[in-house]
Amino acid sequence: MTRRLHLAVAAYGVGGPGQHGLWKDPRVPKNASIDIQYYIRQAQIAQAALFDAFFIVDSQFITPDYPSHYLNRLEPLTLLSAVATHTTHIGLVATASSTYNSPFNLARRFASLDLISGGRAAWNVVTSFDTGTSRNYGLEEHLDYATRYGRALEAVQVVRGLWDSYEDDAFPASLDDNQFLDPSKLHALNHVGEHFSVAGPLNVSRSPQGQPVIFQAGVSEEGRNLAAQVAEGIYAPGGTRAQAQAYFSDIKQRATAAGRDPDHVLIFTGASPVVGSSDAQAHRRSREIYDQDNDFDRKLGFLGRSFGAYDFAQHDLDAPFPDVAHLAEKGGRTAGQAIVDRAASQGLTLRQVVETLTEYRPSPFTGAPDTVADAIEEWFTAGAADGLNLRFRALEDLERFAGDVVPLLQKRGLFRTAYEHDTLRGHLGLPIPENRHSVRDQEDFPRGGFA
Amino acid sequence: MTRRLHLAVAAYGVGGPGQHGLWKDPRVPKNASIDIQYYIRQAQIAQAALFDAFFIVDSQFITPDYPSHYLNRLEPLTLLSAVATHTTHIGLVATASSTYNSPFNLARRFASLDLISGGRAAWNVVTSFDTGTSRNYGLEEHLDYATRYGRALEAVQVVRGLWDSYEDDAFPASLDDNQFLDPSKLHALNHVGEHFSVAGPLNVSRSPQGQPVIFQAGVSEEGRNLAAQVAEGIYAPGGTRAQAQAYFSDIKQRATAAGRDPDHVLIFTGASPVVGSSDAQAHRRSREIYDQDNDFDRKLGFLGRSFGAYDFAQHDLDAPFPDVAHLAEKGGRTAGQAIVDRAASQGLTLRQVVETLTEYRPSPFTGAPDTVADAIEEWFTAGAADGLNLRFRALEDLERFAGDVVPLLQKRGLFRTAYEHDTLRGHLGLPIPENRHSVRDQEDFPRGGFA
């Protein structure tokens, strides 16, 4: 099968991280983050452009200096359920924490979304990484990496087990036999593991895609291993093309080592394209956007997120970067350690750390439509991405990408010209997982040896 | 203010308890319980008839002999979020367990539904009562009554606290002041209680109705007290009019004793009307329905639910009712004890218990449209109900009630002839709860003594 590019859109309202100033953009309603119609419109535009998936990130802890979108937002599954009935084809990827949800609740809610959407749901598994979030759930300190990732792996296994509670032919609803359910096709899970004990069965049947797709975003060692073991879609950090290639091949190798088909582990690299009438115009626009977002206090506040919602405002901005190495474990460890190392090796002040981290770096996908299409083709063919997870500023920017860049990708044979499937698994070329109980039945009853 | 009748519809798919045989009804799609369009149509019909609310019950544990609807269903909040964007006025009441959900997750999801629906969400607080459910959440035995209800009360208090995280004017989004959020209007909760520690704040702002409405269904002593303390809508068991009156006055007294306005504690009595062209025809139809549902094995299976999902099929049907008194605590205690007492005092066999419990008893709301309207008026004026929580079999039965009975209730001045409000609180005549932080600010800053 020819390898095909995949496109997802990460939907925001008034602006997520790196879009601090988006609320000032007159094209974006001030309440866009909590306006369900704003999300429905984004999904419909992305669907009209034949995108694979519509993706909702999540965060469960805020401080007043967080990005505007994080401050006030809809819970992802609740949001996507509303979007589901106003769309017909695009995949719906909701972020949910395996640390702060029980597997039975997760299994029910994603299975429900999968039925409501006709087989278009996906779960983006996150482990949640800050102390601020843990304090919303009764824990003074969040769980350490090993526990969180062990729990995440087991949670995915339990949830998948629950999703197979009913075989596909479990409901004959036969008047002749006076039988609604065939009880032999309903299976309890009776899982007893290190982190969870879950009996089941789940009271939700399977959708046309069998099970929701599993997404993950792994950067740390534990995260990469989890992604390689269970993820079917991976949200990869952007960075340079060389960095993306290194991440891509690392994950594909780990997946292969874990006995999986690397083509069934699709890497969506994060990208914030800026499309202009010319390369120069696009770069001017890119710089304007940077300046609009350049809110030092908010960047300083958001920096704390990598250190367990640490409050950096208590420190002198022009003194050496404070000693917060021990806090990296409380936040995004990999990111936090990189910041600490950089500050130490370059002798940076707190102000310099913020400015260096957020210095102007135009997206590799900045330019006239042909330039952006060239960059996407290069990343795709060079093995830096199976697809892109695109972030736009306003609906108009998504529309422009859909109208000007997508047709170029189609002309080059990289992207579909019509939906060929009705489910997210179909779009992604992922097989429908056979129900584990049906498979067992087939093994019990050999098909005979006809050649 | 004139007292007004309220109407809710409890939406099912192929049939809940007491509707065991509904899947055989050719008017009902076999997969109605998981067909979101079936729910959307019900909600739209009920809204066209100016109903107050659309209600989704829940259950998290099944055995193969449970009613057809329980076997395969959508999670209530996920379901109602999809319904929200296809309706404009009707309230949306989702059942969720305070025992198996964390308050922070509940607060987020209901606040999201409240925003998505424009102020029409309500939480029906249940504590979940069977061992089967607890085993889906890692507990061998479910929590006892006192713990479950203590937890429920604290959960409601925490959730309400989180719902007030943002004052209503927290987001000036002012370009002049370069201020998106006014940080002084964002409040952490910092709750530390017996069952929960929750820091907050919640990252969801309030809807036009301030906070989702709290519903509850209390039958036990603990349940009635919880209802009287926190519920604004109460789902009451049906039974006879005298039983309903006794329940009604008991709850209103408890609410008054708890210092609440009894008019802000609305009692919705469960009713399954059967409307016919004549009283005789309606009663014939009622008997037909009973016969269609009369599935002994399923009734036997469902009886186990009052005793912690106990399997009665292991007993001789014609031997004395087994000694299961000690199991009543594992299920619906009040119902279980009543069954045990009745079996003992009347010397019933297991078969007789099932048959007695499910013997033919036509609904008091069976008859020609005038007869049904008379009964509703009587119950309403006699203080047996503030409203009815109506259950129908097929969409056509809801349509018939809407077309034939609702106009009679309107002619009698009992029921609204147009929606006068956009929110569920508005329909129910409930005040919008003032944000606790805004109230405190007003107290800190007296308004002066102008007469």
Side-chain angles (χ1 to χ4, degrees):
Chain A
M1 206 179 77
T2 321
R3 193 167 157 252
R4 292 294 274 285
L5 177 73
H6 301 285
L7 294 178
V9 63
Y12 288 86
V14 286
Q19 297 190 332
H20 297 285
L22 188 56
W23 67 270
K24 300 173 196 168
D25 189 321
R27 302 173 304 165
V28 180
K30 302 287 181 261
N31 69 342
S33 295
I34 54 166
D35 177 0
I36 192 65
Q37 296 303 330
Y38 194 76
Y39 289 96
I40 291 172
R41 282 200 298 277
Q42 283 182 76
Q44 289 175 336
I45 296 167
Q47 179 176 277
L50 309 174
F51 275 43
D52 295 78
F54 184 72
F55 168 48
I56 304 293
V57 298
D58 196 26
S59 166
Q60 303 197 66
F61 173 68
I62 51 170
T63 63
D65 44 17
Y66 267 29
S68 48
H69 175 73
Y70 278 28
L71 289 170
N72 194 10
R73 68 198 312 185
L74 302 169
E75 189 275 329
L77 269 153
T78 316
L79 188 167
L80 285 177
S81 182
V83 170
T85 55
H86 295 276
T87 51
T88 54
H89 283 77
I90 194 165
L92 305 169
V93 190
T95 301
S97 171
S98 57
T99 303
Y100 300 114
N101 285 287
S102 59
F104 197 82
N105 276 331
L106 287 169
R108 288 186 82 198
R109 296 171 64 203
F110 278 99
S112 296
L113 179 63
D114 211 26
L115 286 175
I116 289 171
S117 64
R120 296 185 282 130
W123 172 22
N124 179 39
V125 183
V126 298
T127 64
S128 306
F129 66 71
D130 60 45
T131 307
T133 300
S134 71
R135 290 191 184 133
N136 290 332
Y137 291 94
L139 295 172
E140 265 310 296
E141 291 295 332
H142 73 158
L143 305 173
D144 64 27
Y145 262 77
T147 307
R148 265 150 56 210
Y149 279 93
R151 216 181 126 95
L153 177 61
E154 192 178 328
V156 171
Q157 290 163 341
V158 169
V159 166
R160 282 185 164 164
L162 290 169
W163 284 337
D164 278 356
S165 293
Y166 283 112
E167 295 183 56
D168 292 340
D169 54 353
F171 291 98
S174 161
L175 293 169
D176 291 344
D177 301 333
N178 192 30
Q179 188 181 52
F180 182 68
L181 166 73
D182 176 351
S184 73
K185 306 282 187 181
L186 172 61
H187 305 275
L189 183 66
N190 292 321
H191 171 90
V192 179
E194 187 184 342
H195 301 279
F196 304 109
S197 295
V198 182
L202 185 70
N203 57 352
V204 192
S205 59
R206 295 183 5 140
S207 85
Q209 71 173 349
Q211 292 186 352
V213 178
I214 301 290
F215 273 73
Q216 220 264 331
V219 181
S220 68
E221 184 66 18
E222 293 89 342
R224 287 173 191 234
N225 278 334
L226 178 66
Q229 281 173 282
V230 301
E232 300 168 288
I234 293 176
Y235 289 119
T240 65
R241 200 174 82 187
Q243 287 169 331
Q245 282 173 314
Y247 181 86
F248 183 100
S249 59
D250 179 60
I251 294 287
K252 297 277 181 174
Q253 279 166 20
R254 288 178 197 241
T256 305
R260 300 181 62 206
D261 180 343
D263 290 343
H264 295 161
V265 184
L266 298 168
I267 297 185
F268 285 79
T269 303
S272 300
V274 178
V275 183
S277 52
S278 66
D279 289 355
Q281 193 269 332
H283 277 275
R284 277 197 303 278
R285 174 75 188 128
S286 168
R287 180 74 214 196
E288 274 171 24
I289 291 169
Y290 177 80
D291 291 339
Q292 187 179 51
D293 288 336
N294 199 10
D295 181 328
F296 187 87
D297 289 346
R298 210 158 284 275
K299 287 175 174 178
L300 184 70
F302 202 63
L303 175 66
R305 202 157 175 262
S306 293
F307 300 92
Y310 184 71
D311 178 17
F312 280 103
Q314 65 189 290
H315 293 283
D316 180 355
L317 288 172
D318 296 310
F321 189 68
D323 179 15
V324 292
H326 61 291
L327 297 175
E329 185 71 37
K330 291 179 186 290
R333 187 181 54 193
T334 312
Q337 278 174 349
I339 293 166
V340 168
D341 292 348
R342 189 168 178 175
S345 68
Q346 300 179 24
L348 302 176
T349 64
L350 174 54
R351 186 193 303 278
Q352 286 168 330
V353 164
V354 174
E355 286 173 347
T356 310
L357 281 175
T358 61
E359 70 192 354
Y360 177 60
R361 276 184 298 267
S363 162
F365 307 99
T366 300
D370 263 314
T371 306
V372 173
D374 286 347
I376 293 173
E377 182 167 5
E378 283 162 22
W379 281 56
F380 178 68
T381 54
D386 290 311
L388 295 179
N389 182 36
L390 297 163
R391 190 162 58 142
F392 299 96
R393 293 181 73 80
L395 296 183
E396 291 81 351
D397 298 310
L398 167 58
E399 279 169 340
R400 178 157 202 179
F401 184 91
D404 292 352
V405 179
V406 169
L408 298 177
L409 300 171
Q410 290 169 325
K411 262 184 217 154
R412 299 176 188 199
L414 292 169
F415 193 61
R416 69 176 65 84
T417 53
Y419 280 117
E420 290 152 16
H421 301 274
D422 298 324
T423 66
L424 178 55
R425 285 191 181 278
H427 306 329
L428 299 180
L430 297 171
I432 293 177
E434 280 197 88
N435 187 303
R436 63 197 67 194
H437 305 290
S438 307
V439 172
R440 192 174 306 146
D441 290 352
Q442 285 166 20
E443 285 169 359
D444 290 348
F445 189 72
R447 288 174 192 179
F450 300 107
Chain B
M1 207 180 75
T2 320
R3 194 167 157 251
R4 292 294 272 287
L5 177 73
H6 301 283
L7 295 177
V9 63
Y12 288 87
V14 287
Q19 297 188 332
H20 297 287
L22 187 56
W23 66 272
K24 300 172 194 169
D25 189 322
R27 301 173 303 163
V28 180
K30 302 287 181 262
N31 70 341
S33 294
I34 54 165
D35 178 0
I36 191 65
Q37 296 302 329
Y38 194 77
Y39 289 95
I40 290 172
R41 282 199 298 276
Q42 284 181 75
Q44 288 174 337
I45 295 167
Q47 179 175 278
L50 308 175
F51 275 43
D52 296 78
F54 184 73
F55 169 48
I56 303 294
V57 298
D58 196 26
S59 166
Q60 303 196 66
F61 172 68
I62 51 170
T63 62
D65 44 17
Y66 267 29
S68 48
H69 174 73
Y70 278 27
L71 289 170
N72 195 10
R73 68 198 312 183
L74 302 170
E75 189 276 329
L77 269 152
T78 316
L79 189 166
L80 284 177
S81 181
V83 170
T85 54
H86 296 275
T87 52
T88 54
H89 283 78
I90 194 165
L92 305 169
V93 191
T95 301
S97 171
S98 56
T99 304
Y100 300 115
N101 285 288
S102 58
F104 197 81
N105 276 331
L106 288 169
R108 285 186 84 199
R109 295 171 64 203
F110 278 99
S112 297
L113 180 63
D114 212 26
L115 286 175
I116 289 171
S117 64
R120 296 184 283 130
W123 172 23
N124 178 39
V125 183
V126 298
T127 64
S128 307
F129 68 70
D130 59 46
T131 308
T133 301
S134 70
R135 291 191 184 132
N136 290 333
Y137 292 94
L139 295 172
E140 264 311 296
E141 292 294 333
H142 72 158
L143 304 174
D144 64 26
Y145 263 78
T147 307
R148 265 149 57 210
Y149 279 93
R151 218 181 124 95
L153 177 60
E154 191 178 327
V156 172
Q157 290 163 340
V158 169
V159 166
R160 283 185 165 163
L162 290 169
W163 284 338
D164 279 356
S165 293
Y166 283 112
E167 295 184 56
D168 292 341
D169 54 354
F171 290 98
S174 160
L175 292 170
D176 291 343
D177 301 333
N178 192 29
Q179 188 180 54
F180 182 68
L181 165 74
D182 175 351
S184 73
K185 306 282 185 179
L186 172 60
H187 304 275
L189 184 64
N190 292 322
H191 171 89
V192 179
E194 186 183 343
H195 301 280
F196 304 108
S197 295
V198 182
L202 185 69
N203 56 352
V204 193
S205 59
R206 295 183 8 140
S207 85
Q209 71 173 348
Q211 291 186 353
V213 178
I214 300 289
F215 273 72
Q216 221 266 332
V219 182
S220 68
E221 185 66 18
E222 293 89 341
R224 288 173 192 234
N225 279 335
L226 178 65
Q229 282 173 281
V230 301
E232 300 169 287
I234 293 176
Y235 290 119
T240 65
R241 200 175 79 187
Q243 287 168 331
Q245 282 173 313
Y247 181 86
F248 183 100
S249 58
D250 179 60
I251 294 286
K252 297 277 183 176
Q253 279 164 21
R254 289 179 197 240
T256 306
R260 300 181 61 205
D261 181 341
D263 291 342
H264 295 162
V265 184
L266 298 168
I267 298 185
F268 286 79
T269 303
S272 300
V274 179
V275 183
S277 52
S278 68
D279 288 356
Q281 193 269 333
H283 277 276
R284 279 198 302 278
R285 174 73 189 129
S286 169
R287 179 76 213 196
E288 275 171 23
I289 290 169
Y290 176 80
D291 292 337
Q292 187 180 51
D293 288 335
N294 199 9
D295 181 328
F296 186 88
D297 290 346
R298 212 158 283 275
K299 287 175 173 177
L300 184 69
F302 202 63
L303 174 65
R305 202 157 176 262
S306 293
F307 300 94
Y310 183 71
D311 178 18
F312 280 103
Q314 65 189 291
H315 293 284
D316 180 356
L317 288 173
D318 297 309
F321 188 69
D323 179 16
V324 291
H326 61 292
L327 297 176
E329 185 71 39
K330 291 180 187 287
R333 187 181 55 193
T334 312
Q337 278 175 348
I339 293 166
V340 168
D341 293 348
R342 188 167 178 177
S345 69
Q346 299 179 25
L348 302 177
T349 64
L350 175 55
R351 186 193 305 278
Q352 287 168 329
V353 164
V354 173
E355 286 173 348
T356 310
L357 280 176
T358 61
E359 70 191 356
Y360 177 60
R361 277 185 296 267
S363 161
F365 308 99
T366 301
D370 265 314
T371 306
V372 173
D374 286 347
I376 292 172
E377 182 166 6
E378 284 161 24
W379 281 56
F380 177 68
T381 54
D386 291 310
L388 295 179
N389 181 35
L390 297 163
R391 189 162 59 142
F392 299 96
R393 293 182 72 79
L395 296 183
E396 291 82 350
D397 298 313
L398 167 57
E399 279 169 340
R400 179 158 201 176
F401 184 92
D404 292 352
V405 179
V406 168
L408 298 176
L409 300 172
Q410 289 168 326
K411 263 185 217 151
R412 300 175 188 200
L414 293 168
F415 192 61
R416 66 176 68 85
T417 53
Y419 280 117
E420 291 153 16
H421 302 273
D422 298 324
T423 67
L424 178 55
R425 287 192 179 276
H427 306 330
L428 299 179
L430 297 171
I432 293 177
E434 280 196 89
N435 188 303
R436 64 197 65 195
H437 305 290
S438 308
V439 172
R440 190 173 308 146
D441 289 352
Q442 285 166 21
E443 286 169 357
D444 290 349
F445 189 72
R447 288 174 192 179
F450 301 106

